[in-house]
């Protein structure tokens, strides 16, 4: 069984249909990349998986999204549990204007009462996970807003790690970063893959080719092609995919 | 030619800016000149801590402690009432209410701000006073509490609009980040949004208090104006502003009474100045 199974998903922003009959199966502990030109619905699809689109007025969604076999669009789905399980890293690093410690402890604190020792333990583990611990261990009570963008993005990943999700959704997580920082985050993703199922949206074709196991190509709200990354990049089945990958538009 | 126009406009704006500061300084010196004259005949200690205000007695008694405490108790009362209400209202408008209710409420708050204080005093006198009187079985409904209630009413628009601004300008990404971690809406509000807006919230409270301390008309109508040391909030009190407003017209120019009123104005000026300063510092406070 796939970790995530998207079936016949349609999404409307008011009268505008942003996703058209999307079917997609995402495998556990792999990195799946979504590529496609601007405005094709990549972010929209990603945000369907933790139901962040619910926040937008006038959104209508039909179809199913099964995560571990359960349809998250079923009535009575617990959004808190869903978002705890399916975490998100945003395009621009968005640490809270709190201390580094409080940023990481945010999730654990909202999900249960933990004593200080447990929290300290989680903060250390999460920061180690993203290789920030050695740099930041003496600065835990500094504001997170003072960190470099790369460190902020790592911190956001650590903040997610602290709530022990199964799935990580990353919406262009490197687009605010320089090439060096980008390659560091990519290394981190290869590491994270051992523990999490990762879905990444990217505009950077090389990045998709480098980091992902599976790639989906979207165009105008439709999932045009989906398969093993190597196959999609070397022998695409669709002519549109080939055109996009070879840089003829987008 | 265009260059000259730019130059001229720039200078005019600059001049206006300086004019504002100049006026504040002039007002301060005007107050200080006459106010400080008082201390030739009365010691500052007796003025600030004297418990009797009876400037027409012989010799005149000009201790402002009862007036200061009167202002303090009315202001504190109004703050305690208006801050929680205003904050709840601001959070509701900024975060919870659907769009059409939000617009309606914002318009309502602005209207509230536009009610002249004399009208609030009038309503307070005819409606609030009797209610307070009957509720607590008092000899009179004109008490510090009545004044506090009316002043809270006047401070709420200031508090709500500034707080709501602060809350709405918290970046959306904070909210999304928090919700995406599985926090509930309420957890998001009180753990991320309010801390992120805290400097604006403090400023709103300060400016609300500033508005309350300086208010004159409604308090004069509603607090009973007895210049005694207040023991509870259910007694008539007299505030500093009401004292100046009531007595300035009757005093003889150059008398000790006259100078005492100026000194009182000076005290008020200094208090509001520092409150505004604190609000400003809160607004511009930088994160560590
Ligand atoms: N809140 C919204 N209301 C209305 N339309 C929206 C909304 N969000 C996105 N859209 C539209 O839906 C389509 C898909 O948007 P989406 O953000 O998912 O694209 P994307 O593939 O992520 O693009 P990009 O690469 O630029 O991030 C676009 O045409 C966009 O204009
Ligand atoms: Mg996008």
């Amino acid at each position: 069984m796939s970790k995530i199974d998207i079936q016949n998903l349609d999404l409307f922003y008011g009268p505008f249909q942003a996703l058209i009959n999307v079917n997609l199966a995402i495998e556990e502990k792999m990195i799946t990349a979504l590529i496609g030109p601007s405005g094709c619905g990549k972010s929209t699809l990603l945000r369907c998986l933790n139901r962040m689109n619910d926040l937008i007025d006038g959104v209508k969604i039909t179809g199913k999204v099964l995560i571990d076999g359960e349809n998250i669009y079923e009535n009575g789905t617990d959004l808190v549990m869903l978002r705890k399980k399916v975490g998100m890293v945003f395009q621009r690093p968005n640490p809270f204007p709190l201390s580094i410690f409080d940023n990481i402890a945010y999730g654990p604190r909202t999900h249960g009462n933990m004593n200080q020792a447990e929290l300290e333990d989680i903060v250390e583990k999460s920061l180690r996970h993203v290789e920030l611990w050695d740099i930041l261990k003496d600065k835990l009570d500094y504001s997170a807003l003072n960190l470099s963008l790369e460190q902020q993005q790592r911190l956001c990943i650590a903040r997610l790690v602290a709530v022990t999700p199964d799935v990580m959704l990353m919406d262009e997580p490197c687009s605010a970063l320089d090439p060096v920082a980008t390659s560091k985050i990519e290394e981190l993703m290869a590491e994270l893959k051992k523990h999490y199922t990762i879905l990444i949206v990217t505009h950077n074709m090389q990045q998709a080719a480098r980091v992902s196991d599976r790639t989906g190509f979207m165009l105008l709200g439709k999932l045009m092609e989906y398969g093993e990354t190597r196959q999609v990049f070397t022998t695409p089945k669709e002519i549109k995919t080939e055109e996009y990958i070879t840089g003829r538009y987008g | 030619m265009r260059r000259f126009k730019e130059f001229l406009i720039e200078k005019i704006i600059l001049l206006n800016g300086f004019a504002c500061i100049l006026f504040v300084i002039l007002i301060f010196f005007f107050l200080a000149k006459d106010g400080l004259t008082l201390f030739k005949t009365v010691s500052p200690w007796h003025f600030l801590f004297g418990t009797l205000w009876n400037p027409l007695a012989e010799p005149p008694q000009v201790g402002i402690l009862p007036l200061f405490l009167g202002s303090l108790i009315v202001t504190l009362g109004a703050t305690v009432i208006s801050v929680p209400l205003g904050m709840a209202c601001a959070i509701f408008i900024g975060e919870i209410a659907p769009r059409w209710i939000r617009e309606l409420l914002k318009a309502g708050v602005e209207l509230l701000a536009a009610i002249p204080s004399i009208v609030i005093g009038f309503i307070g006198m005819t409606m609030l006073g009797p209610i307070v009187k009957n509720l607590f079985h008092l000899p009179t409904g004109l008490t510090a509490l009545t004044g506090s209630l009316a002043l809270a009413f006047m401070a709420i628009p200031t508090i709500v609009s500034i707080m709501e601004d602060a809350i709405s300008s918290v970046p959306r990404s904070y909210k999304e980040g928090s919700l995406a971690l599985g926090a509930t809406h309420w957890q998001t509000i009180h753990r991320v949004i309010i801390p992120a807006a805290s400097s604006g919230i403090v400023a709103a409270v300060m400016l609300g208090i500033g508005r309350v301390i300086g208010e004159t008309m409604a308090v004069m109508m509603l607090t009973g104006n007895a210049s005694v040391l207040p023991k509870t909030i259910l007694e008539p009190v007299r505030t500093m502003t009401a004292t100046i407003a009531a007595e300035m017209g009757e005093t003889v120019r150059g008398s000790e009474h006259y100078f005492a009123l100026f000194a009182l104005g000076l005290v008020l000026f200094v208090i509001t100045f520092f409150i505004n300063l604190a609000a400003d510092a809160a607004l511009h406070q930088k994160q560590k």
Side-chain angles (χ1 to χ4, degrees), chain A residues 25-37:
Chain A
I26 292 162
E27 303 304 324
E28 183 156 24
K29 303 217 167 123
M30 284 195 183
I31 298 182
T32 303
L34 287 176
I35 58 172

Side-chain angles (χ1 to χ4, degrees), chain A residues 38-44 47 91 171-172 201 203:
Chain A
S38 203
C40 68
K42 306 177 297 290
S43 302
T44 302
R47 291 162 58 95
Q91 183 166 355
D171 194 349
E172 305 186 40
V201 167
H203 267 136

